Every structure is written in C-alpha cells, then in structure tokens.
Amino acid sequence: MEIRIDSGVLTDAVAWAARVLPARSPMPVLGGLLLEASEGGGLSVSGLDHEASARVEVEAETVVAGRALVLGRRLLDICKVLPRGRTEVVVESGRLSVTSGEVRFGLSLLPLDAYPAAPPLPPVLGEVDGAAFAEAVGQVAAAAGRDDSLPVLTGIRIALDGPVMTLAATDRYRYAVRALEWHPAAASAEPADVVVPARRLTETARAFAAGGRARIGLDAGSIGFERDGLRTTTRLLDGRLPRHDKLFALGDHAVAATGRAALVEAVQRVAVVAEGDSPVQLAFDGTALRLRAGYEDDVASQRLPAALDGAEAMTVAFNPGYLLDALTRFTAPEVRLHLLGPGQRALLTDGEDGRHRHLLMSVKPLV
C-alpha cells in the first residue's frame, strides 16, 4: 500500500475512526485502525469495538492499493504532530511509514487476519438535517445519566413517528425532550423507539453539525448513521426510558417568562456563593424576578424583569448546576418556566413552539 494525502485530511479521518477504539480490550487487535487504499484513489479508515464502529472515506492519491492495520491511538498521536502538507503513507518491510516533509515515523503492523469484519449499516429508515440533529442531541444530552449501574439512563431515546423525531434523556432528576423534523424513507414507515448511548450519539451528531442530510439506519440491535463518507454504527441499549407524557402534564400552574441570556448570567453570578448543595432561589412577582443564593453573611442577589401569569407571586429554588445545564441548551431569546410551586416539578420551554422542553425538580427555597 502506498498513498499520498494531505496531513490535515489524514488527521481528521484517523481522529473520526479512533473515537470508537476501546480504552482496554482483551483483544489487542481491536486497538487497531484499518487503512484501505483503493485502486481508483481514496483512503478509508475504520475502527471498531464490541459496541460501535466508525468508517470514513477521504480523498487520497493511490500509488499502490492495499490494506494495513496499525495501532490506532499511536497513529492518531503521530498525525497530530505531522507538519502541514503532503504526506506519504507506505507499507514497506512489514511496517507502515508515515512521511511528511523531513519528518518520518514507522509503525508496526497488526495481523489483518485476526481483525473482525465491520458490521454493515442497518437498513436506512430515512434522513434528518445534520445541523438540526446535532443541536437537538446537544440539548437533551445534558439530562442523560452518568451512572453506569443504570445503563438505560445513560442513553438518549430516539422515537420516530411519521415526520417527527423525538429525542429524550433523563437521569431521574431532570428530563429533556426535543422534537425535530424527520424525513422517513417511505410514507408507510413503521414507528421506531430505541435508546442509544448518549456519549456515542453526541460524538456522532457533532460530526454532522456542518449540515446536509444524514441517513439513519436501524435494526433489532444497532443504529447506524451515514453522511458524506462518514459512517458509524452503535449498539442499542436494552430497556426503555420512563415515559415523559404524564410528568410534563402539569395541570393548573403559573407561567413565568424572562430573557434567557440575562437569566443565565444572573444564575452564574449569584451561584458563586452557592456552596455544595446550596440552591439558587427564584422569586417571581408580577413584573420582576429576584434571584438569591447563599446563607448568612455570604449571599448574593440580583433582580431581572420578568412576567408572571397564573399567580400573584411564586418562589422556587433549583440546583444551580442543573438549572444552568438546562438554560444554556435553549436558543430562543426568551425562556418560560411553568411552575407548580416550591419543591415540585418545573417545566422550562423555549417560548416559541415548545419543541424543546426540560423538566427539573425544584427544591426547598432558602429561608
């Protein structure tokens, strides 16, 4: 195998494929990346573990077609320090050499015959705009759990029903939901409802943020994504997330509205004195919001303009980290807080069409 390729293109391709490599594996060969140079020109780089696979195809000048398997993280480290410009990648004398300008690296080859075949992309169900999908995944991922003892709560639900895709995540203390447009491959497509590891889905979505339609495939055990030479598959999580329908149905409640950016800045400011589990208190009256945090001598407060409908006054308090995680994922200039009262559920919406919703549990207000 012998190719010539821009070092930046090579680095990006290796980084994309290397993200699925396992940190540790009883099979050393799974730490490898497979490089394949085609006769017609072009290079594909692929990696896999037992949970996910990634493959990317990029432009390259092929001198000699062939395949090579090398340690992926070592190759990525090398690519990151290559000089910018044309790079030659050659298999010679049982090694892979990478040469860029006056810089040359040599890497040992791993046995190709021991490397498992990559899983195919599952049957394609439809397409979604890459930029919209990346934004939506980022908005709900904040609510995904981090406790691996409850694997399903570390995932993001993807529900496909007609022209609507619904993403959702919860760690039992908060629950984020985002709806977006989806283009099914067939008008008669059956609804689908699966849970995908949040970390894997977030990495995939970021790669599609530049825009263009991404194809999504699904089978009984995995989900796949493909766009412009990028392809990845991820094994689904077993189980289902708790339904959010009843949780989000608040019944009679008050609604407060205020500027999102100003509220984010105010929460960040007063939370400086909120130590440990100390909450940030939001006290609404008809025309203003007063934020307060801290106890005894170390306190902070700020007033903001706000409108309250459905009650003369309402005071609630939240974990500042959870509140900021929610607020910073909204993009609309105004945020609405649907409030039942202290210590009860509170629903944040984007003030537009309600396609993005984030449920938080309020805590006991400051005294």
Side-chain angles (χ1 to χ4, degrees):
M1 185 185 91
E2 181 178 351
I3 63 168
R4 300 186 180 101
I5 187 172
D6 180 80
S7 61
V9 173
L10 178 63
T11 301
D12 290 344
V14 170
W16 163 260
R19 66 192 181 83
V20 302
L21 297 181
R24 298 180 183 85
S25 174
M27 297 176 59
V29 73
L30 289 183
L33 286 180
L34 179 63
L35 310 181
E36 298 177 278
S38 61
E39 291 185 358
L43 172 71
S44 73
V45 185
S46 47
L48 74 160
D49 68 3
H50 297 296
E51 304 296 330
S53 71
R55 176 186 172 92
V56 56
E57 298 174 358
V58 294
E59 293 184 359
E61 177 188 347
T62 300
V63 179
V64 179
R67 306 164 75 227
L69 184 68
V70 296
L71 285 174
R73 299 192 189 281
R74 178 62 57 83
L75 179 59
L76 179 57
D77 289 341
I78 288 172
C79 289
K80 288 178 178 178
V81 298
L82 287 175
R84 301 294 295 181
R86 192 173 92 158
T87 298
E88 295 183 349
V89 181
V90 182
V91 174
E92 54 185 3
S93 303
R95 295 173 64 82
L96 182 84
S97 68
V98 181
T99 305
S100 185
E102 300 300 319
V103 179
R104 185 177 184 276
F105 292 92
L107 278 175
S108 299
L109 298 177
L110 298 174
L112 280 168
D113 55 358
Y115 194 66
L121 187 76
V124 174
L125 297 186
E127 298 179 335
V128 65
D129 179 77
F133 181 66
E135 179 184 76
V137 170
Q139 288 174 325
V140 302
R146 308 291 190 269
D147 185 357
D148 290 333
S149 66
L150 297 169
V152 72
L153 295 185
T154 66
I156 293 176
R157 177 192 178 209
I158 299 181
L160 307 174
D161 190 2
V164 178
M165 172 187 290
T166 301
L167 305 177
T170 180
D171 61 2
R172 296 183 299 177
Y173 303 103
R174 46 192 171 166
Y175 207 135
V177 175
R178 175 69 155 83
L180 69 156
E181 187 179 7
W182 152 258
H183 305 277
S188 58
E190 292 291 325
D193 195 336
V194 298
V195 181
V196 185
R199 182 177 66 84
R200 299 284 193 193
L201 188 61
T202 300
E203 291 173 346
T204 298
R206 285 174 181 161
F208 296 157
R213 287 193 176 184
R215 292 172 292 280
I216 298 181
L218 189 67
D219 60 25
S222 65
I223 190 168
F225 302 87
E226 184 178 43
R227 182 183 71 82
D228 297 340
L230 299 177
R231 174 185 296 182
T232 184
T233 64
T234 300
R235 183 172 295 179
L236 300 173
L237 293 173
D238 293 329
R240 292 287 182 267
L241 294 186
R243 302 293 298 187
H244 66 270
D245 311 71
K246 292 183 178 180
L247 288 172
F248 283 39
L250 301 184
D252 291 335
H253 63 279
V255 180
T258 189
R260 184 190 62 84
L263 181 56
V264 168
E265 291 181 1
V267 173
Q268 291 173 331
R269 190 171 292 121
V270 302
V272 169
V273 298
E275 297 181 359
D277 295 330
S278 177
V280 169
Q281 178 175 286
L282 284 68
F284 295 92
D285 58 27
T287 60
L289 158 63
R290 181 174 181 265
L291 292 93
R292 181 184 164 217
Y295 293 103
E296 298 179 352
D297 294 331
D298 297 331
V299 295
S301 65
Q302 182 174 342
R303 291 180 66 85
L304 295 174
L308 180 67
D309 184 37
E312 292 185 1
M314 179 75 73
T315 298
V316 291
F318 299 99
N319 175 299
Y322 286 179
L323 181 58
L324 285 171
D325 276 348
L327 290 172
T328 54
R329 263 61 177 193
F330 285 92
T331 57
E334 182 181 80
V335 64
R336 294 181 183 176
L337 294 87
H338 303 253
L339 307 170
L340 287 171
Q344 300 189 61
R345 305 189 309 279
L347 183 65
L348 280 64
T349 63
D350 53 20
E352 294 179 341
D353 54 12
R355 290 165 69 88
H356 178 198
R357 296 172 289 167
H358 196 117
L359 190 78
L360 292 174
M361 285 299 300
S362 62
V363 298
K364 185 178 178 180
L366 302 171
V367 295

